[in-house]
């Protein structure tokens, strides 16, 4: 027998690789990387979220107020009575008439999408209609990206997070089986994670327990409670800075070994933070998250470096989830659940059973047909087909891909394409044998003649699958992924692998036994 060639060695290596790395998924063992089953196969959580876009508008106005304060302080423009009115506009008053022109120019340059009106030294700033609409759309898209990042960082495999319609968000998370997991995911998704560092109004804070919200508002302040004790704080409504200047957040431990969250500010945030603490020694600054005060330490000295800590008697899991939310960024506007549905695992089990039966039955019928119609050539094609299946499972396992019902359809379709490639090759070989060509020449020319047709079909399908993966979501991505992996595996097994096996077995192929080897009648050969 002819010695092994590089094609058959490559195919053997691919087959062993496929078998070894498919085992954890096939046996569902605890060790090794496995394919993750999608929502339709293992059950999970389906939610349709709405978004309170009006809050995004209010946050944008508040951010504009903080920007005005920062810009004017930086340019040493003296102003007073900076306020946010009904979440729709900000007002302030300059104290020097000579600064009016300079202030107008700065506002026009720094605050895009705004309408600035001044009556003498009194200014009001509102957003244009176009800016309001852009802010709403940004809030939805930002929520989609943020929720997706949070779920990915949480370690969930291929959750579906997509904008649906004009103002809704679809979230599907496979593998959520308990009420506790579901509650934790819902809290992680819905958490605004709106971080603010706010100055305590030390002059009036002593009266906070007797002060109404309206009175606090008249001073440009807000009253917020401590997250643990419920103690009230009177804080300046315009924050010193917010979470948009945060670059990292991670869990740490304090001197008492209690979980805390350490976060780092970007360059601009670190400068603002350092400047503020430098002029506020002896006063307090509150770390506020989602309108709750987590700590309000006294500033003892200027704090440079932009490193800040949140302590709040956290559980480890709570601190971990909060750090994920902070790293992923705050939601510009809160989301709320419009529709929630838990997909039970029993439905997934039924789907797996039905799909598996279809896959196995179709595979067996194809195997029998190939052997009956093509003889040994059919067996060689079936070996390639089995190798193809193992390769698909192995590669999906290594990447931790999610298998959904459409993904299983992709595998079935790929199997069909792999069989089709082998049928084309076998028919070309048979045609050449009928013409009286030698077995060796028939095999070589058969592969050459069939290659172009197989290559064109696979490449065009691969392009379509790539586009599907790029623009699709969830199950569509899963379908495109299995298709892409299957096509590449098919090219390796159906073209390279079977060609190598034929070359290896060539000395054994007897032209007088063509019916056995290729399923053709010898008397029909020229």
């Amino acid at each position: 027998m002819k010695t092994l060639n590089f094609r058959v060695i490559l195919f053997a290596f691919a087959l062993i690789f496929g078998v070894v790395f498919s085992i954890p998924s096939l046996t569902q063992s605890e060790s090794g990387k496995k394919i993750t089953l999608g929502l339709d196969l293992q059950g999970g959580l389906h939610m349709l979220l709405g978004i309170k876009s009006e809050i995004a508008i209010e946050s944008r106005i508040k951010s504009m107020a903080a920007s005005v304060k920062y810009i004017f302080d930086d340019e040493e423009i003296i102003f007073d009575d900076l306020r946010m009115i009904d979440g729709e506009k900000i007002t302030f008053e300059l104290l020097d008439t000579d600064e009016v022109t300079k202030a107008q120019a700065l506002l026009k340059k720094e605050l895009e999408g705004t309408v600035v009106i001044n009556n003498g030294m009194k200014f009001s700033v509102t957003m244009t209609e176009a800016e309001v609409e852009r802010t709403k759309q940004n809030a939805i898209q930002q929520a989609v990206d943020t929720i997706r990042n949070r779920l990915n960082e949480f370690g969930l495999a291929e959750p579906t997070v997509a904008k649906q319609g004009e103002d809704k968000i679809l979230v599907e998370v496979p593998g959520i089986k308990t009420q506790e997991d579901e509650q934790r995911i819902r809290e992680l998704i819905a958490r605004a994670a709106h971080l603010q560092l706010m100055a305590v109004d030390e002059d009036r804070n002593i009266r906070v327990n007797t002060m109404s919200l309206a009175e606090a508002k008249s001073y440009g302040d807000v009253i917020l409670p401590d997250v643990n004790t419920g103690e009230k704080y009177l804080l300046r409504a315009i924050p010193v800075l917010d979470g948009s200047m945060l670059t990292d957040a991670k869990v740490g431990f304090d001197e008492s070994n209690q979980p805390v969250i350490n976060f780092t500010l970007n360059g601009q945030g670190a400068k603002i933070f350092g400047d503020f603490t430098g002029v506020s020694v002896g006063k307090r600054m509150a770390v506020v998250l989602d309108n709750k005060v987590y700590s309000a330490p006294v500033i003892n000295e200027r704090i440079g470096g932009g490193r800040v800590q949140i302590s709040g008697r956290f559980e480890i899991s709570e601190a971990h989830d909060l750090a994920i939310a902070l790293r992923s960024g705050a939601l510009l506007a809160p989301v709320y659940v419009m529709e929630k549905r838990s997909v039970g695992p029993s439905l997934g089990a039924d789907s797996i059973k039905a799909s598996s039966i279809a896959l196995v039955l179709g595979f067996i019928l194809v195997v029998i047909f190939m052997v009956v119609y093509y003889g040994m050539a059919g067996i060689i094609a079936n070996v390639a087909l089995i190798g193809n299946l193992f390769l698909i499972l192995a590669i999906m396992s290594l990447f931790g891909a999610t298998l959904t019902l459409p993904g299983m359809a992709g595998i079935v379709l790929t199997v069909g394409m792999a069989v089709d490639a082998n049928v084309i090759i076998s028919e070309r070989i048979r045609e050449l044998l009928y013409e009286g060509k030698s077995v060796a020449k028939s095999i070589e020319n058969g592969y050459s003649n069939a290659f172009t047709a197989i290559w064109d079909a696979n490449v065009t399908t691969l392009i379509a699958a790539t586009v599907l993966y790029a623009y699709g979501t969830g199950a569509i991505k899963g379908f495109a992924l299995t298709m892409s992996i299957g096509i590449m595996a098919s090219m390796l097994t159906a073209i390279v692998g079977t060609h190598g096996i034929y070359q290896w077995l060539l000395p054994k192929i007897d032209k007088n036994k063509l019916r056995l080897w290729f399923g053709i009648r010898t008397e029909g050969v020229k």
Side-chain angles (χ1 to χ4, degrees), residues 11 14-15 17-23 25-26 35 356 359-364 366-367 381-397 403 407-416 418-419 482 485-490 493-494:
F11 176 70
L15 185 60
F17 168 87
V19 171
V20 169
F21 288 99
S22 297
I23 288 175
S25 294
L26 294 174
I35 293 174
S356 299
L359 181 62
V360 171
L361 186 60
F363 186 79
I364 291 173
V366 167
V367 166
N382 288 335
V383 171
L385 203 57
I386 293 169
N388 189 12
L389 275 177
F390 276 118
L391 264 182
I392 294 173
L393 294 177
I395 295 172
M396 290 184 69
S397 300
L403 181 62
M408 294 184 76
I411 293 176
V412 174
L413 186 57
T414 302
V415 168
V419 172
T482 52
I485 295 172
I487 289 168
M488 289 185 279
S490 172
T493 56

Side-chain angles (χ1 to χ4, degrees), residues 453-475:
I454 297 170
W455 174 263
D456 290 347
N458 280 280
V459 168
T460 51
T461 308
L462 186 61
I463 292 172
T466 304
V467 174
L468 269 181
Y469 187 83
Y471 292 98
T473 58

Side-chain angles (χ1 to χ4, degrees), residues 118-175:
N118 68 295
N119 182 10
M121 292 192 290
K122 292 185 177 179
F123 281 70
S124 70
V125 183
T126 56
M127 296 167 62
T128 63
E129 288 298 322
E131 184 67 12
V132 169
E133 185 58 31
R134 193 184 70 82
T135 302
K136 288 181 179 177
Q137 292 303 315
N138 277 351
I140 296 171
Q141 189 55 51
Q142 188 263 0
V144 169
D145 294 339
T146 300
I147 292 171
R148 184 181 294 130
N149 288 340
R150 289 179 182 179
L151 295 178
N152 286 338
E153 285 210 31
F154 194 77
L156 296 168
E158 292 195 23
T160 298
V161 183
K163 182 182 174 187
Q164 192 158 62
E166 290 295 320
D167 56 356
K168 299 180 184 64
I169 301 170
L170 172 68
V171 178
E172 289 186 342
V173 187

